[in-house]
Amino acid sequence: MRVYIETLGCPKNTVDSESMAAVLEKGGHSLAQDPYEADALVVNTCAFIKDAKEESIGAIFDMAGIKKDSGQLLLVTGCLPQRYAADLYKEMPEVDAFLGVNDYEHINEALEEAASGKRVSEVTRAPREYDELEVKVMDAGGASAYLRIAEGCDNVCSYCVIPAIRGPYRSRRMENIIKEAESLAAQGKKELILIAQDVSAYGKDIYGDLVLYKLLRELCKIDGIEWIRLLYCYEDSITDELIQTMKEEDKICNYIDIPLQHINDRILSDMNRHSTTASINDTISRLRAAIPDIHIRTTFITGFPGETEEEFEELQDFIEETKFDRLGVFSFSLEEDTPAAEMPDQVDDDVKDARRDALMELQREISLENNKKKIGSVLETIIDEKNDDGTYSGRTRYDAPEIDDGVILTSDTELQPGDIVYVKITDAFDYDLTGERIEK
């Protein structure tokens, strides 16, 4: 069969879809680029917050419409069925099969059963150890690849459903990660983006210690890999060894994603975070002292239950003083079966959203200020694509794909996706830069 996969949500879902693609290929199936040319449609869903669930449901109904017109099989996989399997099975008769986040290896069997007219719902609990599945990189022409190093989460933040969906934290064996990284390098990938729900916790469950820094040292030895990027590091697990490794290894981008969520100690405690105001400030200071050009990405939540105007202003002042290079803000999403959903003093939606918008406006000003400082500098840039007008779109070492700033550049010579070039920055905007390729 030809199978079309629609992926929603975070990079971890992208890797899940790549795992499904590998299983499908082994089963004799192929991937379709157009849903109308496919024999089966797969929607790999996200259910992290309300907006993500609504987007996933919308995508399912869109694919159901295509199925009605063209007669394909329709499969729904991932976080949404993992969380709501029974309800979905009852409410969405147009879906032929549901698979949870731990069941991708059975997609071929699900296709066969669905093709025979049997509806399928397979949602199992997380295994105790990391379940190794091959991946098939679906963006074959790109130079970047996500490399998952762990699954699940042990942090149990009071607002988050991820541990319930994904299960406990399970690190991959280092040798398996290195083997996959070597395979990606052989496929021409130049940038590895390390992902997990908590990258910085790597190894604690199977090696008895935080050994992300050791893994990074080994990955840096792989020929062909030129950039390594870290997403989703928890502040309390950023060790001196990790910082020193980032400082010493040229391949590791001076970029780190640390989801902080808030700065007020009372709210952090109610969130069941392990960080405090003091520890957050200390970690930022250590990073910036060791790596002066480190670009820190973070996320915050506005309107957590009980958040007062004074506590919000504390967060606002912290952002203004710290001047994060990259920042996102979410309004608190009340998720059933989480402790935060039962907390008193829930904040009105309009207040949550107004606070979110105020922080994003503040960050827009900070981002523009930071970007203007780059005018005249020369930055190493990876090319993502050529534009219709002859310019190129790329990213600096300080930018992850799809979520951070971009660079629009001109070049006197032809460039290809994956080329890493030097660009002199000529202008700056809120979230993008422009420049020209130069020889260095």
Side-chain angles (χ1 to χ4, degrees), residues 71-72 85 111 177 179 190 338 397 416 422:
Q72 299 96 330
L111 276 176
I177 298 172
K179 181 180 178 181
K190 295 182 180 180
T338 63
R397 278 178 168 261
Q416 300 297 324
Y422 290 99

Side-chain angles (χ1 to χ4, degrees), residues 9-23:
C10 68
K12 294 182 287 296
N13 273 18
T14 299
V15 175
D16 287 341
S17 291
E18 291 174 343
S19 296
M20 278 191 283
V23 174

Side-chain angles (χ1 to χ4, degrees), residues 28-219:
H29 305 289
S30 61
L31 295 183
Q33 302 302 313
D34 185 330
Y36 286 97
E37 296 176 357
D39 303 300
L41 309 171
V42 177
V43 184
N44 192 17
T45 61
C46 178
F48 179 46
I49 58 176
K50 178 183 177 183
D51 288 349
K53 288 183 285 187
E54 291 177 350
E55 182 184 16
S56 293
I57 291 169
I60 294 169
F61 284 130
D62 288 343
M63 290 299 167
I66 296 175
K67 173 187 175 180
K68 184 177 180 181
D69 292 339
S70 306
Q72 299 96 330
L73 297 173
L74 176 57
L75 287 73
V76 173
T77 67
C79 297
L80 201 66
Q82 185 70 31
R83 195 172 176 195
Y84 303 107
D87 291 339
L88 293 174
Y89 190 88
K90 179 181 178 182
E91 299 295 334
M92 293 184 170
E94 56 270 79
V95 176
D96 299 294
F98 297 95
L99 292 178
V101 298
N102 306 303
D103 305 293
Y104 300 122
E105 62 185 318
H106 301 135
I107 190 168
N108 290 327
E109 293 90 334
L111 276 176
E112 291 176 11
E113 292 188 33
S116 70
K118 180 181 177 181
R119 290 189 79 205
V120 178
S121 180
E122 184 168 354
V123 178
T124 59
R125 297 182 64 181
R128 298 184 66 179
E129 296 182 353
Y130 189 92
D131 188 13
E132 287 286 345
L133 288 176
E134 291 184 27
V135 298
K136 175 182 173 59
V137 177
M138 297 167 70
D139 182 13
S144 303
Y146 293 109
L147 180 61
R148 180 157 51 195
I149 66 172
E151 177 62 290
C153 187
D154 289 341
N155 289 307
V156 198
C157 299
S158 66
Y159 52 83
C160 185
V161 297
I162 293 299
I165 294 174
R166 295 275 177 175
Y169 195 86
R170 310 181 299 283
S171 298
R172 294 181 71 183
R173 290 283 169 183
M174 198 174 296
E175 58 269 25
N176 293 332
I177 298 172
I178 293 168
K179 181 180 178 181
E180 183 179 339
E182 290 172 340
S183 174
L184 291 169
Q187 296 173 50
K189 302 302 177 182
K190 295 182 180 180
E191 178 184 26
L192 295 180
I193 305 170
L194 271 57
I195 59 169
Q197 194 62 32
D198 181 357
V199 166
S200 51
Y202 175 73
K204 66 177 183 179
D205 54 324
I206 57 175
Y207 300 120
D209 202 1
L210 300 174
V211 293
L212 176 60
Y213 71 99
K214 292 183 179 179
L215 173 63
L216 288 169
R217 297 277 190 190
E218 294 302 313
L219 292 174

Side-chain angles (χ1 to χ4, degrees), residues 76-370:
V76 173
T77 67
C79 297
L80 201 66
Q82 185 70 31
R83 195 172 176 195
Y84 303 107
D87 291 339
L88 293 174
Y89 190 88
K90 179 181 178 182
E91 299 295 334
M92 293 184 170
E94 56 270 79
V95 176
D96 299 294
F98 297 95
L99 292 178
V101 298
N102 306 303
D103 305 293
Y104 300 122
E105 62 185 318
H106 301 135
I107 190 168
N108 290 327
E109 293 90 334
L111 276 176
E112 291 176 11
E113 292 188 33
S116 70
K118 180 181 177 181
R119 290 189 79 205
V120 178
S121 180
E122 184 168 354
V123 178
T124 59
R125 297 182 64 181
R128 298 184 66 179
E129 296 182 353
Y130 189 92
D131 188 13
E132 287 286 345
L133 288 176
E134 291 184 27
V135 298
K136 175 182 173 59
V137 177
M138 297 167 70
D139 182 13
S144 303
Y146 293 109
L147 180 61
R148 180 157 51 195
I149 66 172
E151 177 62 290
C153 187
D154 289 341
N155 289 307
V156 198
C157 299
S158 66
Y159 52 83
C160 185
V161 297
I162 293 299
I165 294 174
R166 295 275 177 175
Y169 195 86
R170 310 181 299 283
S171 298
R172 294 181 71 183
R173 290 283 169 183
M174 198 174 296
E175 58 269 25
N176 293 332
I177 298 172
I178 293 168
K179 181 180 178 181
E180 183 179 339
E182 290 172 340
S183 174
L184 291 169
Q187 296 173 50
K189 302 302 177 182
K190 295 182 180 180
E191 178 184 26
L192 295 180
I193 305 170
L194 271 57
I195 59 169
Q197 194 62 32
D198 181 357
V199 166
S200 51
Y202 175 73
K204 66 177 183 179
D205 54 324
I206 57 175
Y207 300 120
D209 202 1
L210 300 174
V211 293
L212 176 60
Y213 71 99
K214 292 183 179 179
L215 173 63
L216 288 169
R217 297 277 190 190
E218 294 302 313
L219 292 174
C220 286
K221 297 176 183 177
I222 298 175
D223 291 336
I225 298 301
E226 299 190 37
W227 291 8
I228 299 174
R229 188 180 305 281
L230 302 180
L231 295 188
Y232 319 129
C233 294
Y234 278 57
E235 178 273 321
D236 58 294
S237 300
I238 298 175
T239 63
D240 289 338
E241 292 89 347
L242 175 59
I243 294 174
Q244 189 65 23
T245 300
M246 294 181 67
K247 177 181 178 180
E248 294 176 357
E249 295 285 358
D250 290 338
K251 289 187 178 182
I252 303 174
C253 296
N254 291 344
Y255 172 104
I256 190 168
D257 186 316
I258 314 172
L260 295 174
Q261 312 306 8
H262 216 280
I263 192 60
N264 175 266
D265 278 334
R266 184 197 66 79
I267 292 180
L268 288 169
S269 177
D270 283 355
M271 287 179 167
N272 199 32
R273 304 285 290 182
H274 304 300
S275 299
T276 64
T277 303
S279 70
I280 290 170
N281 283 314
D282 176 68
T283 296
I284 292 171
S285 295
R286 287 188 294 128
L287 281 164
R288 287 179 168 174
I291 311 168
D293 67 330
I294 187 78
H295 279 49
I296 301 174
R297 161 168 275 283
T298 191
T299 51
F300 292 108
I301 295 172
T302 56
F304 188 81
E307 184 188 54
T308 65
E309 188 64 31
E310 291 75 20
E311 289 166 337
F312 169 70
E313 289 174 359
E314 181 182 349
L315 175 58
Q316 194 170 31
D317 291 343
F318 171 68
I319 292 172
E320 189 166 15
E321 292 166 6
T322 308
K323 296 188 185 302
F324 290 97
D325 303 277
R326 312 284 183 255
L327 185 146
V329 185
F330 296 92
S331 300
F332 170 73
S333 178
L334 190 152
E335 297 299 319
E336 64 267 31
D337 302 322
T338 63
E342 305 300 324
M343 290 180 179
D345 302 321
Q346 296 285 331
V347 179
D348 291 342
D349 286 346
D350 57 346
V351 174
K352 291 188 289 189
D353 293 346
R355 290 175 178 176
R356 176 201 62 200
D357 295 346
L359 293 188
M360 287 309 301
E361 175 59 24
L362 172 60
Q363 181 59 27
R364 185 192 65 77
E365 297 170 1
I366 292 171
S367 179
L368 179 59
E369 176 186 341
N370 287 339

